[in-house]
Amino acid sequence: MFNSLPFSTLVNIAVVIAILALSVAIHEAMHGFVAHKLGDDTAALEGRLTLNPLKHIDLLMTVLLPAVLLLIGSNPIFVAKPVPIDTRRLKYDEFGMAWVGLAGPLTNLALAVLGAIVARLAGVHLNISDGLIYASTAGLVFYTFISINVALFVFNMIPLPPLDGSRLLYAFAPDPVRRVMEQIEAVGFFIIIFVLLVLSSAILPIVRTVTESIVTFLLR
């Protein structure tokens, strides 16, 4: 996905980081917009109800770390600054938080669909056959945009705290399961690192396969 762009290595990384910054900014903003609609204005008070990437990205985790990992040919880790949510102020309790959680990854899926539609309407040459990409330069940029957003959707839908997919599980899980999930979520970011570094051989191939299947479906 990240090595398909026809530019120099540094330009490829710059394009990927730019697409990533835009995608995660919209992702995080949608968390805040839905929370605001459900009664929590915490994100609004902190100036996070905006599509400005500078308000949502973290210089180290959203820019520098992914750039270094891409430079050495490793799988990049994408992390933005989480939008602050006060669950006590949300309507519908855990179901309200489930809507807030789903807003982010579903937005990324919508961006991927929109990217595929725009590419088709613009007549951009982009095709996948037997696992190979046949595309113009513009097509490869669209492919990268679509792939990144699908990957963000798939990864964030994993029902493991603190990923967004866990919010849907929270809404329906019995209390004992919720308590376990709360203990896991207390560790926060370290769980994501554990998944990526320790369980990557089991989880990332599944994420990659699902991502590629969705991207292929969108482009065909």
Side-chain angles (χ1 to χ4, degrees), residues 16-209:
V16 170
I17 295 299
I19 293 173
L20 171 66
L22 175 64
S23 300
V24 297
I26 299 174
H27 173 115
E28 292 298 331
M30 287 307 298
H31 283 315
F33 282 124
V34 173
H36 191 265
K37 288 292 185 181
L38 293 176
D40 176 28
D41 62 353
T42 306
L45 294 174
E46 296 194 14
R48 299 293 298 278
L49 292 190
T50 175
L51 298 180
N52 180 1
L54 296 178
K55 294 289 186 177
H56 301 289
I57 64 173
D58 178 88
L59 180 60
L60 175 61
M61 301 305 300
T62 316
V63 179
L64 295 181
L65 180 59
V68 170
L69 292 175
L70 286 168
L71 193 60
I72 64 176
S74 181
N75 291 313
I77 298 174
F78 300 150
V79 181
K81 291 189 293 186
V83 167
I85 306 293
D86 187 344
T87 57
R88 298 168 299 179
R89 305 179 66 180
L90 290 175
K91 299 177 183 177
Y92 314 124
D93 301 319
E94 289 296 344
F95 291 98
M97 191 59 206
W99 281 111
V100 173
L102 291 174
L106 289 179
T107 294
N108 290 122
L109 181 60
L111 287 173
V113 172
L114 180 62
I117 292 174
V118 171
R120 183 176 296 273
L121 292 177
V124 174
H125 175 62
L126 209 168
N127 186 36
I128 298 178
S129 179
D130 298 325
L132 299 176
I133 308 167
Y134 301 92
S136 61
T137 298
L140 290 173
V141 174
F142 270 101
Y143 171 78
T144 302
F145 176 85
I146 293 166
S147 298
I148 285 176
N149 276 283
V150 172
L152 288 171
F153 163 72
V154 173
F155 183 75
N156 278 287
M157 285 303 294
I158 296 175
L160 178 69
L163 297 176
D164 297 325
S166 67
R167 294 303 173 185
L168 187 61
L169 185 57
Y170 264 116
F172 296 97
D175 288 339
V177 175
R178 286 185 183 181
R179 285 194 289 270
V180 172
M181 293 176 68
E182 288 169 355
Q183 293 175 348
I184 295 175
E185 189 166 16
V187 185
F189 176 69
F190 295 102
I191 290 295
I192 299 178
I193 296 297
F194 175 78
V195 169
L196 291 173
L197 297 183
V198 180
L199 302 181
S200 60
S201 60
I203 293 179
L204 291 186
I206 297 174
V207 172
R208 186 179 300 111
T209 298

Side-chain angles (χ1 to χ4, degrees), residues 4-21:
S4 61
L5 292 168
F7 311 117
S8 66
T9 299
L10 292 180
V11 175
N12 283 355
I13 291 175
V15 171
V16 170
I17 295 299
I19 293 173
L20 171 66

